[in-house]
């Protein structure tokens, strides 16, 4: 009797625990775990701009996650093969070479990734089946109380429906052992330096509030620290709009995006915390945000390529370049954009403000902002990123044109002493604590140029224009 070989095609599910692809009704004799880095991610996406879609910070975090995953697989008797190329072509080639019985893959919210899966389904040998599963969500598609085509038009309607009618299942444990590696099959992956020298050399700014390391063990360490040692579930809703420090936010998002951690694993741990400490608004709000994530992913699956607007991105213009290079002259914007570029992460409050500023105040195509986030963010995921940008731009599933963030008002409310902006822009430390640091061109025009734009909406929030004088004490 011939031995059977299955292929687990990994994408954004780089973990061994709560991974349905690693649980079999009839285990194969041999198993090959495969990750394919899409070669197009290493190339430019905007005409005339050499910036790759996959930036150095995100690629570094991905490689750390793959290295960690390989270690977990090796402990269970398996291994990992990482290839670079066209994902569909590579998967079909490997399946044909190994005479595979089955290719196992998780459904994906990205239209490119979904297209790859469809191509594999069409091109696999007749003797090889494609097994598709949901992975990483709070609720599988089969558990939703409606068809995908009937997805509620707003998140609020979605949340009310699923909270009333759905139960969130427990995560699956990690397998103790896995089938062995196919004899003679390639394994391992190239060093990061061979893929991208810039990423191999990239290091986050030492001023970052939290050190992100890719992989399942770092994800679980953060989950345990935030909920149990930091007691974050007691205060999350109150602190989540913070800007400085390690623990105002859960910081789970990079591991969720790469699938080093699943939404159900977080849900289970929050429920365990509530069983001891009692439920509260903040513990509920962590699950609330996970529901938002589910909604964005289902919306992306429904919308397909329309999620990205028109087919081609426009060229970068001067206003966009000032924004991405942290040179707008607006400290609240420039501090956030500098943090993003230097660390690969910024807070949700900062994301909303820089997005609104780009779209509403600079009148730049929202898709350029979404693309820049795709390049920079270590927690980039296609559904949440493009869905959130559409939401801010007023072109999403809940279209409104009045989602405007007045950055001067926001800065005064969320950074009243100017600590955040001075942290990233040290020149502002010479100004007094307070609104002066957010409007330096008003108080020290000889030192600070006016911003690149002065929207009329800012008028009532402008402080008196005075020449700042330093005093020796």
């Amino acid at each position: 009797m011939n031995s059977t070989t299955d292929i687990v095609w990994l994408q954004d599910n780089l973990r061994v625990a709560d991974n349905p692809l690693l649980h079999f009704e009839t285990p194969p004799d041999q198993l090959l775990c495969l990750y394919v880095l899409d070669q197009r991610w290493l190339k430019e996406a905007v005409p005339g701009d050499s910036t790759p879609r996959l930036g150095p910070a995100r690629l570094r975090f991905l490689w750390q996650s793959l290295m960690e995953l390989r270690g977990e697989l090796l402990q269970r008797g398996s291994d990992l093969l990482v290839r670079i190329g066209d994902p569909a072509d590579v998967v079909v080639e490997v399946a044909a070479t190994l005479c595979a019985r089955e290719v196992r893959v998780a459904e994906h919210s990205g239209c490119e990734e979904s297209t790859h899966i469809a191509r594999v389904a069409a091109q696999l040998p007749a003797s090889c089946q494609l097994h598709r599963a949901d992975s990483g969500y709070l609720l599988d598609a089969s558990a939703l109380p409606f068809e995908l085509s009937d997805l509620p038009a707003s998140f609020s309607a979605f949340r009310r429906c699923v909270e009333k009618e759905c139960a969130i299942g427990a995560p699956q444990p990690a397998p103790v052992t896995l089938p062995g590696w196919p004899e003679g099959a390639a394994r391992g992956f190239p060093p990061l330096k061979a893929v991208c020298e810039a990423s191999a050399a990239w290091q986050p700014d030492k001023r970052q509030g939290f050190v992100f390391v890719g992989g399942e063990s770092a994800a679980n360490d953060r989950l345990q620290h935030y909920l149990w040692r930091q007691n974050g579930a007691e205060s999350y809703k109150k602190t989540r709009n913070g800007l400085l420090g390690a623990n105002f936010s859960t910081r789970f998002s990079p591991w969720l995006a790469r699938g080093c951690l699943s939404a159900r694993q977080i849900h289970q741990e929050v429920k365990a915390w509530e069983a001891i400490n009692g439920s509260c608004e903040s513990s509920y709000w962590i699950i609330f945000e996970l529901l938002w994530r589910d909604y964005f992913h289902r919306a992306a699956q429904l919308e397909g390529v329309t999620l990205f607007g028109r087919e081609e991105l426009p060229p970068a213009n001067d206003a966009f370049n000032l924004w991405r290079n942290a040179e707008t002259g607006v400290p609240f914007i420039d501090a956030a954009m500098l943090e993003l570029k230097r660390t690969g992460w910024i807070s949700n409050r900062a994301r909303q403000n820089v997005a609104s500023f780009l779209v509403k105040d600079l009148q730049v195509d929202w898709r350029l902002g979404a693309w820049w986030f795709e390049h920079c963010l270590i927690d980039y995921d296609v559904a949440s990123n493009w869905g959130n940008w559409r939401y801010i731009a007023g072109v999403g599933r809940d279209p409104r044109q009045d989602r405007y963030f007045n950055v001067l008002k926001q800065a005064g409310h969320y950074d009243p002493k100017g600590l955040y902006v001075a942290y990233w822009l040290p020149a502002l430390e010479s100004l007094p604590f307070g609104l002066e640091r957010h409007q330096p061109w008003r108080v020290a025009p000889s030192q600070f140029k006016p911003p690149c734009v002065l929207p009329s909406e800012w008028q009532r929030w402008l402080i008196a224009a005075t020449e700042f004088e330093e005093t020796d004490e």
Side-chain angles (χ1 to χ4, degrees):
M1 184 174 178
N2 293 331
S3 63
T4 56
T5 302
D6 285 0
I7 296 169
V8 168
W9 174 16
L10 296 156
Q11 297 184 92
D12 289 328
N13 45 353
L14 306 182
R15 63 184 182 278
V16 293
D18 197 31
N19 191 336
L21 302 183
L22 299 178
H23 291 266
F24 307 87
E25 287 187 15
T26 306
D29 299 309
Q30 302 174 131
L31 180 69
L32 185 140
C33 298
L34 172 67
Y35 181 89
V36 187
L37 177 65
D38 191 335
Q39 61 191 6
R40 292 182 301 175
W41 293 357
L42 302 174
K43 298 177 180 177
E44 66 181 51
V46 172
D49 193 305
S50 61
T51 305
R53 288 174 58 185
L54 180 57
R58 189 172 139 221
L59 180 55
R60 177 178 181 263
F61 188 88
L62 169 63
W63 232 245
Q64 290 171 341
S65 301
L66 290 168
M67 291 170 65
E68 163 83 12
L69 176 63
R70 189 184 188 194
E72 293 292 333
L73 292 169
L74 283 167
Q75 289 179 33
R76 290 161 174 81
S78 185
D79 205 338
L80 178 66
L81 171 64
V82 176
R83 295 271 302 271
I84 301 170
D86 179 288
D89 289 348
V90 172
V91 171
V92 171
E93 172 208 324
V94 173
T97 301
L98 296 177
C99 299
R101 174 187 74 167
E102 186 173 72
V103 171
R104 302 169 65 83
V105 67
E107 299 285 10
H108 203 284
S109 302
C111 67
E112 288 179 343
E113 293 84 355
S114 296
T115 298
H116 292 318
I117 294 172
R119 284 175 55 208
V120 168
Q123 295 174 19
L124 280 176
S127 58
C128 183
Q129 301 298 310
L130 182 67
H131 172 85
R132 302 159 81 144
D134 258 357
S135 176
Y137 307 114
L138 284 179
L139 297 164
D140 287 344
S142 61
L144 294 174
F146 43 75
E147 297 296 323
L148 185 62
S149 57
D150 296 323
L151 182 73
S154 71
F155 168 70
S156 296
F158 169 83
R159 178 181 60 83
R160 287 193 297 268
C161 182
V162 298
E163 286 183 339
K164 179 181 178 182
E165 301 190 37
C166 299
I168 296 169
Q172 295 174 292
V176 177
T177 61
L178 288 167
W181 197 257
E183 186 175 351
R187 58 176 75 196
F189 48 93
L192 180 55
K193 188 175 182 180
V195 180
C196 177
E197 288 192 9
S199 183
W202 188 88
Q203 291 291 330
D205 193 298
K206 292 180 180 179
R207 290 173 291 179
Q208 66 178 340
F210 180 82
V211 178
F212 289 105
V213 178
E216 195 168 1
S217 62
N220 285 309
D221 285 348
R222 177 57 184 175
L223 180 61
Q224 295 298 317
H225 177 90
Y226 183 78
L227 289 178
W228 298 104
R229 294 191 286 279
Q230 181 63 28
N231 214 28
E234 190 172 63
S235 58
Y236 171 71
K237 192 169 188 292
K238 305 181 190 75
T239 65
R240 66 193 179 95
N241 283 310
L243 297 165
L244 283 171
N247 294 313
F248 64 82
S249 168
T250 68
R251 305 271 185 160
F252 299 155
S253 58
W255 294 292
L256 276 168
R258 296 289 71 79
C260 305
L261 185 66
S262 76
R264 284 181 186 167
Q265 288 175 302
I266 298 172
H267 176 266
Q268 182 184 61
E269 206 65 25
V270 170
K271 288 301 179 183
W273 183 92
E274 288 181 337
I276 295 172
N277 299 283
S279 60
C280 62
E281 190 177 29
S282 284
S283 62
Y284 165 74
W285 215 258
I286 296 174
I287 298 168
F288 175 92
E289 296 290 359
L290 292 173
L291 283 172
W292 251 117
R293 178 178 177 271
D294 266 27
Y295 181 69
F296 273 131
H297 278 265
R298 298 307 178 191
Q301 290 169 3
L302 182 61
E303 290 164 8
V305 72
T306 62
L307 179 70
F308 306 96
R310 296 187 301 276
E311 189 171 342
E312 290 188 2
L313 289 168
N317 58 22
D318 290 342
F320 172 75
N321 288 330
L322 291 172
W323 177 82
R324 71 165 157 177
N325 292 324
E327 296 173 349
T328 69
V330 183
F332 200 50
I333 300 302
D334 292 345
M337 296 306 294
L338 189 61
E339 182 183 13
L340 173 63
K341 192 172 185 178
R342 298 279 182 85
T343 73
W345 191 90
I346 50 176
S347 70
N348 182 60
R349 179 55 49 179
R351 295 181 199 205
Q352 291 174 316
N353 274 274
V354 299
S356 175
F357 181 78
L358 180 72
V359 175
K360 303 296 176 66
D361 292 326
L362 294 183
Q363 298 291 305
V364 172
D365 191 314
W366 65 271
R367 296 172 306 141
L368 282 174
W371 160 73
W372 185 246
F373 271 29
E374 178 177 343
H375 169 77
C376 291
L377 284 172
I378 59 173
D379 65 358
Y380 168 81
D381 85 55
V382 60
S384 297
N385 181 66
W386 289 82
N388 270 305
W389 273 93
R390 281 163 59 90
Y391 185 81
I392 290 292
V395 296
R397 292 181 58 78
D398 185 15
R400 277 172 41 191
Q401 296 299 319
D402 60 349
R403 290 193 179 97
Y404 177 74
F405 287 75
N406 185 318
V407 297
L408 293 191
K409 179 183 177 182
Q410 292 269 312
H413 186 75
Y414 292 103
D415 186 28
K417 293 183 178 180
L419 298 177
Y420 172 70
V421 291
Y423 187 75
W424 287 101
L425 306 169
L428 297 172
E429 290 178 350
S430 64
L431 302 180
F433 292 123
L435 297 181
E436 290 88 347
R437 291 183 172 187
H438 293 293
Q439 302 178 36
W441 70 93
R442 302 285 291 176
V443 295
S446 60
Q447 293 177 245
F448 300 94
K449 295 179 180 179
C452 63
V453 64
L454 285 165
S456 59
E457 290 88 349
W458 290 4
Q459 283 303 312
R460 62 175 293 208
W461 303 101
L462 291 173
I463 60 176
T466 58
E467 180 69 38
F468 174 68
E469 294 181 5
E470 275 195 49
T471 57
D472 294 324
E473 296 188 18

